[in-house]
Amino acid sequence: MFFLKELPDEDMIAGVTADLPDVSPTHILTVLTRLRAASVLLRNIEAYLRRHGLSQTQFLAMMMIVREPDRASLSAAEIAARLDISKPVLSKALGSLADKGLIGPATSQPADRRQTQLSLTPDGQRRFDQLLPGYFQQLHAADM
Amino acid sequence: MFFLKELPDEDMIAGVTADLPDVSPTHILTVLTRLRAASVLLRNIEAYLRRHGLSQTQFLAMMMIVREPDRASLSAAEIAARLDISKPVLSKALGSLADKGLIGPATSQPADRRQTQLSLTPDGQRRFDQLLPGYFQQLHAADM
DNA sequence: CCCATATAGTTATTATGCTAACTAATTGGA
DNA sequence: TCCAATTAGTTAGCATAATAACTATATGGG
């Protein structure tokens, strides 16, 4: 997250980057502005999901299962490949979702006993469906 | 941070937001694209600073002191007002910087004994000056 | 003057991220 | 066939974020 409240002005950037000829202060300021807007949006999304008892990672993990076109379940490794987070973080997030009863093992399991196919429970699907419109509203209302 | 590797396509967004008439799929996709680019950039910046032994918050706290036009020191409360982080997080970040010898109490202290004016040590100023060009390079090279 | 209130900063607790190292199961090449 | 290497997932330990609650100091209205 990018916490800087007041961005530097172009003159300040120009002063600092005077010996970096290929760095354009105007471009830097654009990037900083978007970085700040993205961080504020992410905080809003996290707060929205938190109010409903989920972290963003938990929500996105559910989304990956829901989004899969021709299947109703995914393994942890498949979810990890679609998200960009480390294995232990995903492991904890999935454990949390299972504790809440929002995901569970799918009815049909693969032969490979290292992995478990995971699907949303009816409760999980309901919760996800409830949260999705608000999630898109947050994205829609973002100042970017 | 926003971890989704593959963004949904517009049709998928349109399907989900069909009953949200004011939400434009094109706009949502733009926001998601920028959110993802911002997250990748933030990870790169954090990795860059981490390689040099600082967190982003520690680096930005130093920047706030350096950036102050007419003074060489700030109190923790003044730094907190310029960054957008909670007091305990700032407290720990400043403690870390002091442990590393990069900041220290300023020579002149205010009468109010609750607060301490903090300034960069010569070592801290040198470290900051070394890191700043690379920091702007990261911003410059960002895909946004 | 003095106590209620506000402000500066720290400590305690919780959640989430990371890397490294671990166990268990599978696979593949000599 | 069998053991080395790979893959799935978890555990351990650390850093950083948050909120709530704490101590210490300062301020201001009666």
Side-chain angles (χ1 to χ4, degrees), chain B residues 20-69:
Chain B
L20 302 170
D22 57 331
V23 170
S24 140
T26 307
H27 180 226
I28 294 284
L29 192 53
T30 302
V31 172
L32 287 175
T33 304
R34 290 189 180 171
L35 213 47
R36 179 64 185 154
S39 294
V40 169
L41 172 56
L42 281 168
R43 276 194 170 168
N44 290 342
I45 288 175
E46 275 163 16
Y48 165 72
L49 293 173
R50 178 81 40 214
R51 284 195 297 276
H52 294 88
L54 292 179
S55 72
Q56 191 191 196
T57 297
Q58 290 164 12
F59 180 73
L60 288 178
M62 293 177 80
M63 187 186 282
M64 291 307 94
I65 299 175
V66 169
R67 195 171 90 173
E68 194 62 21

Side-chain angles (χ1 to χ4, degrees), chain B residues 5-6 8 30 44 48 53 71 73 75-76 78 84 100 106 116 120 123-124 136 140:
Chain B
K5 245 188 221 164
E6 292 163 39
T30 302
N44 290 342
Y48 165 72
R71 301 161 52 189
S73 67
S75 70
E78 291 171 318
D84 196 4
K100 297 189 229 280
T116 311
L120 266 62
D123 218 41
F136 278 108
H140 173 74

Side-chain angles (χ1 to χ4, degrees), chain A residues 89-132:
Chain A
V89 169
L90 183 64
S91 186
K92 284 199 76 179
L94 294 176
S96 247
L97 287 171
D99 289 349
K100 294 189 229 280
L102 302 178
I103 64 171
T107 45
S108 78
Q109 289 296 326
D112 187 333
R113 280 178 315 175
R114 286 173 306 180
Q115 48 168 308
T116 311
Q117 287 285 314
L118 297 164
S119 59
L120 266 63
T121 61
D123 218 40
Q125 183 70 54
R126 204 174 316 121
R127 277 284 278 289
F128 182 78
D129 292 343
Q130 278 166 5
L131 290 179
L132 200 56

Side-chain angles (χ1 to χ4, degrees), chain B residues 117-136:
Chain B
Q117 287 285 315
L118 298 164
S119 59
L120 266 62
T121 61
D123 218 41
Q125 184 69 55
R126 203 173 316 121
R127 278 284 279 288
F128 182 78
D129 292 344
Q130 277 166 7
L131 290 180
L132 199 57
Y135 179 75
F136 278 108

